[in-house]
């Protein structure tokens, strides 16, 4: 079968012919219907040899941690799914047994590191291939009649902002304000989730006019360029200098500093982007009771919630589609910042 693989640290990913995998005991094979391209893949492929080695992901590795498919073959002993089922893949795999996993929060598995469990596409072969293996049927969520191409990105670009926003829901009451920094793949879904779940006024910040236009189309009340003037623009728009919550989908030093300027007493700053920025926390470093969080992906039940938001039409992903042969181009466009919404590979 064909697969998009990261072969050598520092080189662009390549389309390669690899053996079609056979499901072992307990495993499920999917015929992939859609695979999303995330900026985290670009981050991993941008690491130096030493930094990459610290992650320990073996190469070559098939990319893709957002996946959807049709159940195609079952390993010995698999129950609960049938050949022909349309499913989405829950990506942050865990052990299934620890306290976090027992609550469906496999993204926060206490033992994944020790057991060497990694998500597909981030340490083991992922979804950017004709077929992929799933280690356990619990990592599959029924898609029903949701279009896999339009919805595959919800497994990360929807689930991650959903989980990030849920942590601040108690504060996003009438009259509250939420800032979304970076309105690309994750950010443009975050805006819709904020609009669907909260009465907050939503303000989008990005460095690109095209992304700001998309932010407004999907429901942002205000959209401004992310620069030194942004705090003044926001203050003029909402009538006060600080906001209730900042969701930073970039998290490089300039956006983290911007988020700090916008945070006031009891504000939440939620760092979702895998940037290299850092921030101070402490009695004299922040307004009283201001919090800073850095959440990771989301839980299995939260993925079900997000798919439900898509079924009711409250959230949809703006997608640009690419064939498997065109997948390297999708990553080039992601790197260059010229995608509208999410790039989805359709094998
Ligand atoms: P993306 O490239 O689709 O979107 C990033 C957006 O940020 C783009 O619209 C870009 O124009 C904008 N941007 C760049 N610099 C900016 C700046 N200085 N100010 C404001 N906007 C700026 O990326 P994505 O796939 O949506 O991923 C976003 C981030 O989230 C990445 O860092 C990714 O690694 C990370 N991520 C984290 C998790 C998690 O679990 N924490 C999960 C998935 C992705
Ligand atoms: Zn991702
Ligand atoms: Zn666990």
């Amino acid at each position: 079968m064909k697969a998009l693989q990261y072969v050598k640290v520092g080189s662009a990913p390549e389309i390669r012919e690899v053996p079609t995998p056979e499901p072992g005991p307990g495993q499920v094979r999917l015929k992939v219907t859609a695979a999303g391209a995330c900026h985290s893949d670009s981050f991993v492929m941008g690491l130096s040899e030493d930094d990459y080695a610290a992650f320990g992901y073996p190469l070559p590795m098939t990319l893709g941690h957002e996946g959807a498919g049709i159940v195609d073959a079952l390993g010995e002993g698999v129950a609960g799914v049938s050949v022909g089922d349309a499913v989405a893949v829950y990506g942050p795999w865990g052990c299934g047994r620890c306290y976090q996993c027992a609550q469906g929060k496999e993204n926060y598995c206490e033992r994944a590191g020790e057991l060497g469990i990694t998500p597909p596409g981030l340490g083991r072969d992922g979804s950017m291939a004709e077929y992929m293996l799933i280690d356990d049927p619990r990592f599959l969520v029924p898609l029903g009649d949701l279009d896999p191409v339009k919805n595959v990105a919800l497994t990360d670009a929807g689930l991650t902002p959903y989980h990030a926003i849920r942590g601040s829901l108690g504060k996003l009451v009438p009259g509250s304000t939420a800032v979304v920094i970076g309105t690309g793949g994750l950010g443009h879904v975050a805006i819709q989730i904020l609009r669907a779940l909260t009465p907050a006024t939503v303000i989008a910040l990005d460095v690109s006019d095209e992304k700001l236009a998309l932010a407004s189309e999907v429901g942002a009340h205000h959209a401004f360029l992310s620069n030194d003037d942004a705090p003044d623009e926001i203050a003029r728009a909402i009538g006060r200098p600080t906001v209730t919550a900042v969701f930073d989908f970039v998290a490089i030093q300039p956006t983290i500093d911007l988020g700090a300027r916008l945070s006031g007493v009891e504000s939440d700053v939620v760092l979702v982007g895998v940037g290299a920025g850092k921030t101070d926390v402490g009695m004299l470093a922040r307004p009283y009771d201001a919090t800073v969080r850095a959440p990771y992906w989301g839980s299995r039940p939260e993925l079900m919630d997000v798919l439900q938001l898509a079924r009711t039409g409250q959230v949809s992903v703006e997608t640009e589609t690419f064939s498997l042969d065109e997948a390297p181009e999708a990553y080039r466009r992601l790197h260059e910042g010229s995608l509208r919404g999410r790039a989805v590979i359709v094998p």
Side-chain angles (χ1 to χ4, degrees):
M1 67 167 187
K2 256 190 225 175
L4 179 75
Q5 293 201 315
Y6 188 43
V7 181
K8 191 173 171 301
V9 174
S11 302
E14 297 168 27
I15 294 292
R16 300 175 87 211
E17 194 61 39
V18 300
T20 301
E22 288 302 326
Q27 289 185 316
V28 178
R29 184 172 70 194
L30 300 185
K31 183 160 176 42
V32 177
T33 47
C38 178
H39 210 114
S40 299
D41 301 326
S42 291
F43 168 79
V44 168
M45 290 191 282
L47 293 171
S48 69
E49 199 103 32
D50 286 349
D51 290 341
Y52 189 87
F55 280 85
Y57 298 168
L59 295 182
M61 174 181 78
T62 301
L63 293 167
H65 57 271
E66 292 180 344
I70 303 284
V71 174
D72 166 74
L74 304 179
E76 202 188 311
V78 172
V81 290
S82 307
V83 170
D85 287 356
V87 292
V89 179
Y90 173 74
W93 296 0
C95 74
R97 294 177 184 281
C98 71
Y99 189 73
Q100 298 293 343
C101 285
Q103 301 168 80
K105 300 186 210 166
E106 302 214 15
N107 51 320
Y108 295 147
C109 176
E110 294 163 8
R111 299 195 62 209
E114 154 202 345
L115 297 173
I117 302 172
T118 54
L122 291 167
R124 54 187 297 145
D125 288 339
S127 57
M128 294 202 176
E130 291 172 77
Y131 296 89
M132 76 181 290
L133 288 184
I134 306 297
D135 270 7
D136 191 294
R138 76 173 186 281
F139 301 133
L140 300 174
V141 176
L143 263 183
D145 51 13
L146 283 179
D147 177 352
V149 176
K150 289 205 156 51
N151 293 288
V152 66
L154 293 175
T155 59
D156 177 16
L159 176 56
T160 301
Y162 183 78
H163 175 63
I165 289 164
R166 274 200 23 160
S168 297
L169 271 191
K171 293 183 180 177
L172 295 171
V173 297
S176 64
T177 45
V179 169
V180 173
I181 305 181
T183 64
L186 273 67
H188 91 287
V189 183
I191 291 166
Q192 298 173 62
I193 294 170
L194 284 163
R195 292 302 312 273
L197 301 188
T198 82
T201 297
V202 179
I203 303 150
L205 301 179
D206 203 292
V207 288
S208 139
D209 287 323
E210 287 79 24
K211 311 268 186 173
L212 289 176
L214 174 61
S216 300
E217 276 171 49
V218 298
H221 296 97
H222 305 282
F224 303 119
L225 284 170
S226 179
N227 57 28
D228 281 347
D229 297 335
D232 289 340
E233 299 266 22
I234 291 171
R236 263 195 295 278
I238 65 172
R240 47 179 302 162
T242 61
V243 302
T244 313
V246 177
F247 299 96
D248 185 345
F249 293 95
V250 185
I252 54 176
Q253 206 56 51
T255 62
I256 290 185
D257 292 346
L258 183 57
R261 277 175 70 186
L262 292 171
S263 78
V265 170
E266 287 190 331
S267 290
D268 281 359
V269 171
V270 187
L271 305 176
V272 184
V274 186
K278 290 209 162 62
T279 191
D280 291 333
V281 178
M283 199 59 210
L284 303 179
R286 297 235 156 215
Y288 295 138
D289 238 342
T291 68
V292 179
R293 294 187 285 120
Y296 170 66
W297 222 328
S299 71
R300 287 167 55 209
E302 285 173 332
L303 176 56
M304 294 177 180
D305 295 353
V306 171
L307 294 177
Q308 207 50 38
L309 284 173
R311 283 190 187 100
T312 52
Q314 288 163 289
V315 166
S316 65
V317 185
E318 191 67 29
T319 50
E320 286 197 43
T321 55
F322 298 81
S323 68
L324 201 44
D325 286 322
E326 293 164 338
E329 170 67 5
Y331 278 106
R332 204 192 53 72
R333 294 269 315 280
L334 178 64
H335 184 72
E336 150 187 296
S338 66
L339 288 168
R340 186 180 153 90
R342 203 60 152 178
V344 174
I345 312 305
V346 186

